[in-house]
Amino acid sequence: MFSCLSGSLLPHWAHARWAGRLFSSVLCSCPQRSEAEHRGTKTTKEEEHKMKNKVCSTQVSVKRRSWSWQQYLNEQKSEAAPLSLFTQSQSAPRRRNGFKVGMKLEGVDPLHPSMFCVLTVAEVIGCRLRLHIDSYSECYDFWVNSDSADIRHAGWCKGNNHKLHPPKGHSETDFDWQHYLQSTGSHAAPPTLFTCRTATCGFRVGGKLEAVDRKNPGLVCVASVADVIGDRFLVHFDNWDDTYDYWCDGSSPYIHPVGWCEEQGRPLTPPQGHSNPENFLWEDYLRLTGSTAAPSSAFTLRAPHGFQVNQKLEAVDRKNPILIRVSTVTDTENYRVKVHYDGWPQQFDVWSDSDHCDLHPVGWCQRTGHPLEPPPGSFPTSPPQGVCPTRGCRGVGHIKGAKYTGHHSAFGCPYSDINLRKEVLLPDRLGGEKVITLVPITMYHHGNQLGRNVQVKTEPRDETLLVPLGKRRRQADGLCQPTKFLCMKQEEEELHITPAAESRLQAALHQSVFLSAMSAQPSRDLSLCWEQHRKLLPGVSGVHADMVQHWSVQEVSDFIESIPGCEEQAKQFRDEQIDGRAFLLLTQRDIVKIMSMKLGPALKIFNSILMFKHAEDRSQSPSEDTSVQFASNRQSDFCF
């Protein structure tokens, strides 16, 4: 079973020693920037050289030859998941990866699955590629395998009647690959590097079906076939934006023919804005839209997977996708498995589709030349912890993705407590990166428990941003009367400090901080308000003022940078040499008038200071009297 792991059966190009040299050279030469460079910190060439060497030596210091799968399986008295359970896309590619850093290509944007974009290979590790969307921030970079069905050679869209979305500043109609390659001094990835697929499916564009909303798996919705490429097609939910779309094939368990919900006795979610959602009828809808149902013969449901609990495999770390970790199947469903990263707490476990391309059989990393992350502490002499204080983390990767090569504090660590429940928030790439501010939101709760779904009130202006608790959520039936909390709205203009503006800021802060404390039942509603503040400002949770007052200037800057929408303000705090003690002494007037901040960042930063100051009081006395005193104390923090 494990003969595939022996060096004698490995191709020469994937030999372990060669893989180690490849990984070291890639990490040292890849065109990423360090966290310090993004913060604007001045470093000499010598310091920069040391920094690169430190990151590289930290990442490759683990001697893989001192750890083996065979020995680990024997020690754990477990077995590897059989190769037969993995699909072709999960298995090692049949040929060597020929992609090089800098090559250009076309591919699907994972955040907008209906869009093909101009991409550049930004990093190559084994047979994995980090792809950059040209003219956009590195925070939108993503990883794929070299044989992915989502990437195509330059010119593919034009030759296959698909729309290509060019980089900023280029016209969609006039974009020319030849001219673009010449102007950028780059080369296109040769077509021979891409995996050729000739299979077809029985779906046609425009066909209707019923499909599971992957972001809200409890809902089955009216959907359409939006695109077909080979044996895969794009599921689009009628009258919803493309961020809910996903690619699949006819064997997917998430798609069903028209009428399936009625046969199964399950509710079907009609299109958004349907005139009579409670009495939706497929016959009327098909006639109204002039469409037809996808043929039942096109649905070829695959058999459930054969994975079993305690079987071992290799899996991409979802929080830090540059890494592939030793993993274990800890739970199963018909078409999904729960993956545990060995040596890490269960809170990092993730559910994944059994055929997801980020799951691989034992030995995949060795065969493809990709480093494998063994469980922390599994070496006779453990590798150095590095600069990150999080147990088991070696400082590799960053909570903000490929924008940084590594991190040195808990604020940038994907595994730290302050980031554990923090959703990685990115402004929509197509909507622009604009400042976010706090305004009322509608939070639904059932009984005395706060509901998990969030519905964002529709603003009359097109530039409204969504709440940083996720994209627009679909709502289930039976929601009760809402309770108002906080929402995110974009602010376009600089705040001009006038008496009216100061009154507006004070009103906004009063509404956000004291909303529930001034209610008829402060002890009940204050907890809901506090919980909402924790969701909107996750880095504040569990941190007390006595900890903050010992922060250095850099730690204060790191914290400000960790607040969504406040990245630009972090440099300002560094320039003003504001340490922890000075940070806690800041008033609203200091933040808004003296530091000339916009309303949005000012609200979030000042709310953070208030929460720091009163976190200890809240943890000690959650009673109603304390809640009222809490509100009274916070009133005294307003200094106009």
Side-chain angles (χ1 to χ4, degrees):
M1 177 181 227
F2 301 100
S3 60
C4 64
L5 303 183
S6 64
S8 60
L9 295 185
L10 294 178
H12 177 69
W13 59 271
H15 196 275
R17 291 177 60 190
W18 179 91
R21 292 197 299 270
L22 171 65
F23 188 44
S24 178
S25 62
V26 165
L27 287 172
C28 292
S29 62
C30 61
Q32 290 178 285
R33 288 174 285 176
S34 69
E35 191 175 10
E37 288 175 303
H38 275 276
R39 293 193 302 266
T41 303
K42 295 181 180 179
T43 57
T44 64
K45 289 186 177 180
E46 182 179 355
E47 289 172 335
E48 198 173 82
H49 178 70
K50 288 180 179 179
M51 185 183 300
K52 288 183 178 180
N53 286 341
K54 186 172 185 179
V55 172
C56 294
S57 63
T58 300
Q59 291 174 322
V60 300
S61 61
V62 179
K63 296 180 179 180
R64 268 85 187 160
R65 62 175 176 272
S66 65
W67 190 93
S68 73
W69 261 116
Q70 185 66 70
Q71 181 180 350
Y72 183 67
L73 292 171
N74 292 337
E75 292 173 352
Q76 297 292 313
K77 294 181 172 53
S78 55
E79 62 178 17
L83 293 174
S84 59
L85 300 181
F86 296 88
T87 65
Q88 179 58 48
S89 64
Q90 296 173 312
S91 304
R94 296 174 180 173
R95 58 182 175 180
R96 177 180 175 178
N97 175 20
F99 287 95
K100 306 294 182 184
V101 171
M103 286 182 172
K104 304 282 187 182
L105 61 152
E106 300 174 356
V108 174
D109 176 358
L111 297 181
H112 293 275
S114 66
M115 298 177 60
F116 277 84
C117 303
V118 174
L119 305 173
T120 300
V121 178
E123 190 172 355
V124 180
I125 304 180
C127 68
R128 298 181 71 218
L129 315 174
R130 177 167 65 86
L131 300 178
H132 174 74
I133 303 177
D134 283 21
S135 77
Y136 289 92
S137 168
E138 298 101 319
C139 65
Y140 300 104
D141 291 7
F142 58 95
W143 289 88
V144 299
N145 296 331
S146 60
D147 60 351
S148 171
D150 291 330
I151 57 175
R152 305 283 169 163
H153 62 83
W156 181 89
C157 284
K158 185 176 182 180
N160 289 271
N161 197 29
H162 277 71
K163 182 179 180 180
L164 177 66
H165 295 262
K168 294 177 183 178
H170 293 265
S171 168
E172 293 182 0
T173 55
D174 299 331
F175 179 78
D176 178 73
W177 262 113
Q178 182 99 19
H179 179 266
Y180 182 67
L181 292 173
Q182 291 177 352
S183 64
T184 57
S186 53
H187 300 280
T192 55
L193 299 182
F194 298 83
T195 301
C196 180
R197 291 175 171 82
T198 57
T200 59
C201 66
F203 291 89
R204 297 292 178 266
V205 173
K208 300 293 183 182
L209 67 154
E210 299 175 2
V212 174
D213 179 351
R214 300 290 299 277
K215 294 187 177 182
N216 300 273
L219 300 179
V220 180
C221 312
V222 172
S224 302
V225 177
D227 196 0
V228 178
I229 300 178
D231 61 346
R232 301 198 312 155
F233 68 95
L234 182 66
V235 174
H236 174 73
F237 296 98
D238 289 18
N239 292 352
W240 290 90
D241 63 57
D242 71 338
T243 58
Y244 294 99
D245 294 3
Y246 58 86
W247 289 88
C248 67
D249 59 31
S251 68
S252 171
Y254 300 109
I255 58 172
H256 307 286
V258 165
W260 181 85
C261 282
E262 184 177 2
E263 293 176 0
Q264 300 295 319
R266 294 190 54 174
L268 174 66
T269 302
Q272 181 183 217
H274 190 270
S275 58
N276 191 7
E278 295 182 358
N279 298 302
F280 176 83
L281 293 175
W282 267 115
E283 294 81 0
D284 295 342
Y285 186 66
L286 292 175
R287 183 173 59 255
L288 179 67
T289 57
S291 54
T292 58
S296 298
S297 58
F299 297 84
T300 56
L301 180 63
R302 62 175 177 266
H305 66 75
F307 287 97
Q308 297 181 9
V309 172
N310 293 327
Q311 287 180 338
K312 301 290 183 181
L313 67 161
E314 299 174 1
V316 173
D317 186 336
R318 190 172 295 179
K319 277 185 167 293
N320 201 1
I322 192 176
L323 303 177
I324 296 182
R325 296 190 179 278
V326 171
S327 306
T328 304
V329 175
T330 57
D331 198 359
T332 64
E333 294 178 354
N334 284 341
Y335 301 98
R336 299 198 307 161
V337 295
K338 190 175 186 179
V339 176
H340 170 74
Y341 303 117
D342 287 20
W344 288 85
Q346 293 182 355
Q347 58 194 358
F348 294 107
D349 293 3
V350 295
W351 280 96
S352 175
D353 289 342
S354 62
D355 64 343
H356 198 286
C357 60
D358 283 347
L359 304 183
H360 305 289
V362 164
W364 185 90
C365 283
Q366 187 177 13
R367 294 194 64 184
T368 61
H370 195 292
L372 176 66
E373 288 289 313
S378 60
F379 297 95
T381 301
S382 297
Q385 172 73 27
V387 292
C388 180
T390 305
R391 181 179 177 274
C393 180
R394 298 187 290 110
V396 180
H398 198 281
I399 186 66
K400 294 187 177 180
K403 188 175 182 179
Y404 306 111
T405 58
H407 60 274
H408 67 271
S409 67
F411 294 114
C413 178
Y415 316 104
S416 65
D417 290 339
I418 62 174
N419 289 326
L420 181 58
R421 295 176 181 84
K422 180 190 292 185
E423 189 172 0
V424 179
L425 308 173
L426 292 177
D428 193 318
R429 179 175 65 84
L430 305 180
E433 302 178 6
K434 298 185 179 179
V435 179
I436 298 173
T437 62
L438 302 175
V439 296
I441 183 180
T442 300
M443 293 287 293
Y444 290 94
H445 59 90
H446 301 266
N448 291 327
Q449 293 186 347
L450 192 64
R452 296 185 62 180
N453 287 334
V454 177
Q455 180 172 343
V456 182
K457 287 187 175 181
T458 303
E459 298 282 346
R461 303 192 312 177
D462 293 337
E463 64 270 15
T464 300
L465 288 178
L466 301 176
V467 180
L469 297 176
K471 285 271 187 182
R472 178 182 62 245
R473 308 285 181 110
R474 300 169 189 246
Q475 293 296 323
D477 295 330
L479 295 176
C480 62
Q481 291 298 317
T483 300
K484 289 184 178 180
F485 287 103
L486 302 177
C487 164
M488 296 294 185
K489 179 185 174 189
Q490 89 185 16
E491 184 78 11
E492 292 183 336
E493 299 178 355
E494 291 287 344
L495 180 63
H496 300 286
I497 304 302
T498 63
E502 290 196 0
S503 298
R504 182 162 64 96
L505 174 60
Q506 186 173 19
L509 279 165
H510 269 265
Q511 184 176 23
S512 71
V513 181
F514 305 125
L515 175 65
S516 58
M518 293 180 177
S519 69
Q521 296 176 290
S523 63
R524 181 199 67 183
D525 293 342
L526 179 59
S527 61
L528 295 179
C529 185
W530 184 273
E531 288 303 314
Q532 182 59 12
H533 275 74
R534 288 178 58 193
K535 291 180 180 179
L536 295 178
L537 301 169
V540 179
S541 179
V543 181
H544 296 175
D546 58 350
M547 299 168 58
V548 177
Q549 67 179 347
H550 298 295
W551 283 359
S552 65
V553 172
Q554 187 58 59
E555 287 174 316
V556 171
S557 175
D558 288 342
F559 169 72
I560 298 299
E561 190 175 26
S562 73
I563 302 176
C566 296
E567 293 83 357
E568 294 181 2
Q569 285 68 33
K571 183 178 184 301
Q572 193 173 0
F573 274 76
R574 282 196 309 276
D575 294 342
E576 297 292 340
Q577 290 293 296
I578 298 175
D579 60 10
R581 288 183 180 275
F583 182 55
L584 293 174
L585 293 174
L586 289 176
T587 66
Q588 294 172 156
R589 183 180 294 274
D590 295 332
I591 295 174
V592 180
K593 190 169 185 178
I594 299 176
M595 300 187 74
S596 302
M597 284 192 189
K598 294 180 181 180
L599 175 58
L603 279 168
K604 286 178 278 188
I605 292 172
F606 190 69
N607 277 358
S608 299
I609 294 173
L610 294 182
M611 293 182 72
F612 283 147
K613 289 182 178 180
H614 297 279
E616 188 170 1
D617 293 340
R618 172 174 166 75
S619 63
Q620 291 177 351
S621 303
S623 65
E624 180 172 344
D625 291 340
T626 302
S627 300
V628 176
Q629 181 64 36
F630 170 76
S632 176
N633 289 343
R634 298 181 92 174
Q635 292 269 18
S636 65
D637 287 320
F638 283 83
C639 303
F640 279 100

